[in-house]
Amino acid sequence: MLGFRGAVLARGLRVVASAWLRDSSSGAPRAGDWLSPAPPQLHRRPLSLSAAAVVSSAPRTMQPYLRLMRLDKPIGTWLLYLPCTWSIGLAAEPGCFPDWYMLSLFGTGAILMRGAGCTINDMWDHDYDKKVTRTANRPIAAGDISIFQSFVFLGGQLTLALGILLCLNYYSIALGAASLLLVITYPLMKRITYWPQLALGLTFNWGALLGWSAIKGSCDPSVCLPLYFSGVMWTLIYDTIYAHQDKRDDALIGLKSTALRFQENTKQWLTGFSVAMMGALSLVGVNSDQTVPYYAALATVGAHLAHQIYTLDIHRPEDCWDKFTSNRTIGIIIFLGIVLGNLWKEKKIDETKTNKDSKIEN
């Protein structure tokens, strides 16, 4: 009996010794290994603050609605919001930063109105979306949300957007309400004309008028109209690039776009739109007494557009998407140029005043 127990004990010691040797061969021995087994490794999802990650972490019942308003793809919200920031920045007093309250108000409005526009678009196009690979998984096309549910959700978004609009002056309320017709009808243009991107431009850049009127109480045509025109040209650039992703499917199902209209001449058209955009922005600068930082920003934007168009491959959807999303950088550069140019005005005014004072003293 003692011999049997001794054999068992010897076998156990051999197992422990071999385990120790295995651990020693892979690194320094851990004293805690003798006391208790190591806790199991927990596999945690990496923390991400991207819009797509936020949507995917939302309650499952909410996710189709968040995807319906494209909250997981915020580039469209940026492109809607940035023209608002341009006009708010231009309307600021010389030497002052833009009105942060208005910037935040318009940012919230951009999220809501972009979501409403996407909801309307998907309600109109759910039959077409089913036939296009890139859009087949949209909530209405995929059957995750019914048309009635979408209509109710649309009503909620428009109600909240109306609440934002009512925070503005009466002129801006009327001007903002006038854009609703464009929001409702522009998704239909792809059935009627090869220029739906023009309709989108007229809709997406309404904030170039509204931002100025929200600050000043009315629009100054000498600044607001060329700013609006430049935004429309900008939309024709980036949304034509975007449309090249779907041109094959669009041609098969009978939808129209500038991508199908321009085809291999796309780069020449985009160059023309870019020249028109830069000319209009230069006119904005002259009419609003802009300064050196603004024109430096325009030079940077011109170089960005030239590189974007020159390197564009209209036959590679992934390249079209990359070029399309890079337009957020263009919008931000223009905004920064406006802000810095406006701050420079104070310096310019102060220098003029100093020179006058010195002349008086002499």
Side-chain angles (χ1 to χ4, degrees):
M1 187 68 176
L2 290 173
F4 175 75
R5 289 179 178 176
V8 171
L9 179 59
R11 186 180 302 170
L13 289 173
R14 283 197 300 272
V15 170
V16 171
S18 63
W20 170 267
L21 291 173
R22 282 197 301 271
D23 285 347
S24 299
S25 64
S26 62
R30 300 181 296 258
D33 290 345
W34 293 96
L35 302 175
S36 61
Q41 294 290 329
L42 297 176
H43 297 283
R44 296 178 179 177
R45 293 173 62 183
L47 180 63
S48 175
L49 296 178
S50 69
V54 171
V55 170
S56 63
S57 63
R60 215 172 266 279
T61 54
M62 288 179 58
Q63 289 183 25
Y65 294 96
L66 298 179
R67 288 190 291 110
L68 180 61
M69 64 188 298
R70 308 287 197 278
L71 208 63
D72 56 329
K73 297 176 180 176
I75 180 62
T77 303
W78 275 106
L79 297 175
L80 177 62
Y81 176 53
L82 285 165
C84 305
T85 69
W86 302 348
S87 58
I88 292 171
L90 287 166
E93 292 297 321
C96 297
F97 284 101
D99 188 320
W100 298 109
Y101 171 71
M102 283 297 175
L103 287 174
S104 60
L105 203 65
F106 273 74
T108 306
I111 294 171
L112 292 169
M113 287 308 298
R114 193 262 179 140
C118 291
T119 302
I120 293 170
N121 181 80
D122 288 8
M123 289 171 68
W124 283 122
D125 289 352
H126 65 279
D127 288 331
Y128 289 104
D129 286 343
K130 295 175 183 177
K131 302 172 184 177
V132 177
T133 303
R134 189 178 59 82
T135 60
N137 63 344
R138 287 179 176 173
I140 300 177
D144 298 330
I145 301 176
S146 68
I147 294 294
F148 177 74
Q149 289 172 319
S150 303
F151 188 78
V152 173
F153 184 57
L154 173 63
Q157 292 176 91
L158 292 177
T159 300
L160 292 173
L162 177 61
I164 298 291
L165 188 62
L166 292 177
C167 295
L168 308 180
N169 55 60
Y170 290 121
Y171 183 97
S172 301
I173 291 172
L175 187 63
S179 69
L180 190 59
L181 181 63
L182 288 170
V183 173
I184 294 172
T185 57
Y186 89 80
L188 296 173
M189 293 298 107
K190 67 187 76 171
R191 297 168 167 80
I192 301 170
T193 175
Y194 279 101
W195 292 85
Q197 280 68 32
L198 177 59
L200 180 66
L202 295 172
T203 306
F204 252 49
N205 293 282
W206 203 257
L209 307 175
L210 195 57
W212 180 283
S213 72
I215 301 294
K216 298 289 192 180
S218 63
C219 286
D220 180 353
S222 68
V223 176
C224 295
L225 290 183
L227 185 67
Y228 182 56
F229 177 79
S230 68
V232 174
M233 293 298 102
W234 184 41
T235 304
L236 280 167
I237 296 167
Y238 65 66
D239 207 54
T240 296
I241 294 173
Y242 181 89
H244 271 284
Q245 297 177 100
D246 300 329
K247 58 189 175 185
R248 292 185 180 84
D249 289 330
D250 287 347
L252 288 173
I253 62 182
L255 295 180
K256 301 176 175 67
S257 71
T258 49
L260 292 173
R261 171 69 177 80
F262 302 154
Q263 297 185 21
E264 297 302 321
N265 296 320
T266 292
K267 290 191 177 184
Q268 291 92 314
W269 281 93
L270 296 184
T271 301
F273 296 146
S274 298
V275 171
M277 175 186 174
M278 298 307 298
L281 287 173
S282 299
L283 182 59
V284 169
V286 171
N287 291 342
S288 62
D289 298 321
Q290 273 295 340
T291 54
V292 173
Y294 176 80
Y295 295 105
L298 290 195
T300 305
V301 167
H304 190 295
L305 286 170
H307 177 266
Q308 184 181 141
I309 295 168
Y310 181 75
T311 60
L312 173 66
D313 185 348
I314 60 174
H315 302 298
R316 288 181 58 233
E318 59 274 16
D319 186 58
C320 292
W321 175 256
D322 289 340
K323 296 297 192 302
F324 166 70
T325 56
S326 73
N327 280 274
R328 175 176 57 185
T329 303
I330 288 179
I332 292 173
I333 291 171
I334 294 173
F335 174 63
L336 292 176
I338 290 170
V339 173
L340 295 176
N342 203 48
L343 294 175
W344 189 279
K345 289 180 184 179
E346 184 179 37
K347 181 180 178 182
K348 188 176 180 181
I349 292 170
D350 288 346
E351 288 175 352
T352 305
K353 185 178 178 181
T354 302
N355 292 334
K356 286 182 179 179
D357 291 341
S358 63
K359 286 179 182 179
I360 291 171
E361 290 175 0
N362 294 331

